[in-house]
Amino acid sequence: MVSLLRQQKIRNILLQALFAGIVLLVVIGGWRNAQHALSSQNVVSGFGFLHKSTGWDVNFSLLPASPNDPYWWFFVIGIVNTLFLGILGLTLATFIGGLVGLFRTSSNDLLQLLGRIYVDFFRNIPLILQVFFWYSLVTNLPAPRNAMEFGPLTLSNRGVYMPALNVGGWHVAGAAVTLLLALALPLWLRTTRRLASPPEQRGALVWGVLGGGLLLAAAILLLGRAPGAALIDPPRLQGLNMRGGLRVSPEFTALLVAIGIYGGAYIGEIVRGGFKAVGKGQTEAAHSLGLSPWQSFSRIRLPLALRAMLPILANQYIWLIKATTLGIAVGFTDFFMIVAVTINQSGQTLEAIAILMVGFLAINLSIAAIFNRINRAIALKGNQLRS
Amino acid sequence: MADTHPANVPAVQINGMNKFYGHFHALKNIQLTVHRGEKVVVCGPSGSGKSTMIRCINRLEEHNSGQITVLGTELNDDVASIDGIRREVGMVFQHFNLFPHMTVLENCVLAPMLVRKTPRAQAEAAAMRYLEKVRIPEQAQKYPGQLSGGQQQRVAIARSLCMEPEILLFDEPTSALDPEMISEVLDVMVHLATEGRTMICVTHEMGFARRVADRVIFMDAGEIVEEAPPETFFQSPSSERTKQFLSQVLGH
């Protein structure tokens, strides 16, 4: 018996079993304790409340919502809102970050300085302060009667107004998905090695997919157009308020701008790091072969830098998605805020928090899975010599 | 090889060239003429400026004063003349510097297709010819990271050859290789030397210098100290510093 305990493998198995047992005991104990406490307070536990109607409303929703809708539908609305804010925020942050990173790695001293000031400033102020700052800025804009106009945008303390399409919501969503595919597919077609033909002979295919996709998106929009109305519906002042157009609420505007600008500072540093990670030797080889600065950037430095950036970028994206929970600070009905209000209204604390955790786990594990997939697809083959 | 330059124009002519890194005087009043088709080996202790000198020839380093003329075109700030010269001057690096995200074949066809606008089929055919010349055609579809150091360096040589350069610069091409791989690269270089291309090689391989060099140049502390045909250079070097260097390199 004692000699069995001396064997490494048996020892490892026993230790694992002991550890798993302790964890199990703690979980079961906690669960029983919670049940006991809840029943002694006459709280009904379980997920039955999901089918009850909420009795309260949300201030922002992409999907139809009313106080008669059940809780589960509100959770769907919350996840969709979080994803909507998250995807737009990440896009904006990536765009800003790309610019800032390029500024910081450029050979121009002024651009370098601008990039550095940007990063130092926006990275070092807590995100929640930035959310409050933009929120107070937007809510202190002039009233609709004196609204500021920037091209098609109208800025007022009721929110940002822009011309809207007189098109049904599902058609807009369909057109948006088609548009995304029309942009993403050509990118994939341009680079993939899965097709037999060499990449530069796919020009017709690439342009065909792009053009066809754009046409299809336009067709979907036209199909969904409200009969008799003009296709574009500009915002206009009527009485004391704006009518028509698309209103972006101050809450959403503040969160989007804050996440975009704050995330942009971090992503700018990731982009800079990615370019710094590209070996000087590869750039020199490109120059010595006669490649122009643009060719050596687009064919050598950018593809190599992207590979260095992606793992850290995934990390940052997951972080920024979680930052949407600051919606509760300004009253934007993201997933977290809906869960918080649910707890208040229904008293189902444990259940609502479990749903919140599962929801965020699902979102962020999906992001991680997508990025792992891309990483694997473009990973450099073989051993790399650093030079 | 594109024979667009009159034969009497030297491949490289360097006149009173100086290079500084801050206050450090890296290259002092360099005077060098390399004729077309000539094979020149540059040697010297580390830090003597050999690499810096040949890196000035394709403007990977900028010289501070003096003149560098390559195939009749002077190297200055003019971007067009830099581009023109880089098209005609190939370079092989100590650390190979292959593009790790592209296959061997893609490494070879990239510059001809982008810079010379060669159609892919033609560029690939030429690349396969050069990969055969460096005895590695079977690796065309692999990635650099999957090859040994010696194989990577031979791919790098093929990649330079694909641009059909008039002049080939070698910057310590065997210094980063394991001993058993040095000879496979040197064999390729010896074979290349028979083909009439101008070659300037920075190397410590004295056997290679003896076999193929028309001229050996010895540099020390940023200066060209000695310049002689290999027999003279190895038998009866004139300067004390050369003698000392040779005794250290050939001593064992």
Side-chain angles (χ1 to χ4, degrees), chain B residues 44-238:
Chain B
S46 60
S48 60
K50 321 174 289 283
S51 287
T52 310
M53 184 179 78
I54 71 161
R55 286 163 59 86
C56 282
I57 296 174
N58 65 351
R59 196 76 166 184
L60 288 183
E61 303 283 349
E62 236 175 273
H63 58 287
N64 298 109
S65 66
Q67 261 190 333
I68 302 177
T69 312
V70 181
L71 297 166
T73 310
E74 194 189 332
L75 255 184
N76 47 30
D77 269 337
D78 182 3
V79 180
S81 61
I82 296 176
D83 285 348
I85 286 170
R86 282 179 176 164
R87 271 197 286 271
E88 299 302 331
V89 180
M91 189 166 207
V92 176
F93 298 87
Q94 182 177 5
H95 295 290
F96 334 133
N97 298 355
L98 294 171
F99 306 131
H101 58 307
M102 299 179 178
T103 63
V104 163
L105 190 63
E106 286 169 321
N107 264 278
C108 291
V109 299
L110 180 76
M113 285 175 60
L114 289 182
V115 181
R116 294 221 193 272
K117 311 285 177 214
T118 315
R120 175 176 282 264
Q122 210 178 318
E124 281 186 354
M128 287 313 294
R129 263 204 319 280
Y130 286 118
L131 287 173
E132 267 155 42
K133 188 185 286 247
V134 300
R135 292 174 224 140
I136 204 165
E138 71 283 358
Q139 312 284 8
Q141 297 305 331
K142 285 201 185 164
Y143 285 83
Q146 297 167 321
L147 306 183
S148 73
Q151 291 173 319
Q152 289 193 49
Q153 192 59 298
R154 285 185 282 146
V155 171
I157 293 174
R159 179 178 70 177
S160 300
L161 290 174
C162 283
M163 282 295 282
E164 320 224 313
E166 291 252 338
I167 302 168
L168 259 183
L169 308 174
F170 291 85
D171 187 3
E172 307 206 23
T174 56
S175 306
L177 294 176
D178 291 334
E180 76 271 20
M181 293 172 186
I182 291 178
S183 64
E184 66 185 58
V185 171
L186 286 181
D187 284 349
V188 167
M189 290 171 62
V190 169
H191 181 66
L192 277 184
T194 61
E195 295 186 347
R197 202 178 266 102
T198 312
M199 286 167 63
I200 305 177
C201 315
V202 172
T203 182
H204 295 295
E205 297 297 332
M206 290 303 131
F208 172 78
R210 234 191 270 263
R211 260 175 88 182
V212 307
D214 296 315
R215 199 151 39 116
V216 181
I217 286 169
F218 175 71
M219 288 182 74
D220 190 21
E223 287 173 305
I224 293 183
V225 176
E226 184 142 0
E227 209 180 326
E231 312 83 61
T232 328
F233 183 82
F234 290 111
Q235 306 304 323
S236 48
S238 56

Side-chain angles (χ1 to χ4, degrees), chain A residues 3-80:
Chain A
S3 67
L4 266 183
L5 279 179
R6 281 211 202 117
Q7 286 182 24
Q8 187 81 54
K9 271 186 195 152
I10 290 175
R11 248 182 161 173
N12 285 348
I13 291 171
L14 283 177
L15 275 175
Q16 292 281 1
L18 186 69
F19 185 69
I22 293 173
V23 170
L24 204 65
L25 274 180
V26 170
V27 169
I28 292 174
W31 182 260
R32 291 193 52 163
N33 188 33
Q35 263 186 335
H36 182 75
L38 288 174
S39 63
S40 72
Q41 287 171 26
N42 292 324
V43 176
V44 185
S45 59
F47 291 92
F49 77 103
L50 284 176
H51 295 286
K52 293 183 191 155
S53 45
T54 59
W56 39 276
D57 209 348
V58 289
N59 61 16
F60 178 95
S61 175
L62 293 174
L63 304 168
S66 87
N68 297 324
D69 287 328
Y71 275 102
W72 68 266
W73 180 245
F74 269 40
F75 288 133
V76 173
I77 288 172
I79 288 186
V80 170

Side-chain angles (χ1 to χ4, degrees), chain A residues 163-183:
Chain A
L165 290 166
N166 257 332
V167 175
W170 289 111
H171 285 86
V172 172
V177 171
T178 314
L179 193 68
L180 268 181
L181 283 177
L183 294 176

Side-chain angles (χ1 to χ4, degrees), chain A residues 163-249:
Chain A
L165 290 166
N166 257 332
V167 175
W170 289 111
H171 285 86
V172 172
V177 171
T178 314
L179 193 68
L180 268 181
L181 283 177
L183 294 176
L185 259 179
L187 212 64
W188 181 77
L189 284 173
R190 198 102 189 89
T191 49
T192 185
R193 294 181 215 286
R194 298 207 178 174
L195 302 179
S197 63
E200 72 282 349
Q201 277 172 23
R202 298 181 201 144
L205 184 65
V206 167
W207 289 109
V209 169
L210 183 64
L214 292 181
L215 282 179
L216 187 64
I220 293 175
L221 281 182
L222 284 175
L223 274 177
R225 175 179 167 187
L231 181 62
I232 289 177
D233 174 26
R236 58 208 166 269
L237 190 66
Q238 206 170 72
L240 291 177
N241 208 345
M242 305 292 288
R243 291 276 175 271
L246 180 71
R247 170 177 174 266
V248 185
S249 68

Side-chain angles (χ1 to χ4, degrees), chain A residues 49-165:
Chain A
F49 77 103
L50 284 176
H51 295 286
K52 293 183 191 155
S53 45
T54 59
W56 39 276
D57 209 348
V58 289
N59 61 16
F60 178 95
S61 175
L62 293 174
L63 304 168
S66 87
N68 297 324
D69 287 328
Y71 275 102
W72 68 266
W73 180 245
F74 269 40
F75 288 133
V76 173
I77 288 172
I79 288 186
V80 170
N81 284 355
T82 284
L83 283 177
F84 184 64
L85 173 63
I87 289 171
L88 286 185
L90 292 187
T91 310
L92 185 64
T94 308
F95 181 74
I96 294 177
L99 270 183
V100 171
L102 287 182
F103 276 24
R104 291 214 65 181
T105 46
S106 88
S107 50
N108 181 316
D109 287 343
L110 181 65
L111 291 184
Q112 268 184 36
L113 184 72
L114 281 178
R116 217 178 125 183
I117 292 173
Y118 182 92
V119 169
D120 282 346
F121 190 78
F122 287 109
R123 195 174 57 167
N124 292 320
I125 298 174
L127 180 55
I128 191 162
L129 279 186
Q130 298 195 36
V131 173
F132 282 143
F133 171 78
W134 295 112
Y135 186 64
S136 63
L137 191 80
V138 180
T139 48
N140 279 304
L141 286 169
R145 268 191 299 176
N146 309 316
M148 296 157 34
E149 292 197 11
F150 286 101
L153 294 182
T154 309
L155 308 183
S156 78
N157 61 3
R158 302 275 175 106
V160 177
Y161 290 82
M162 58 183 88
L165 290 166

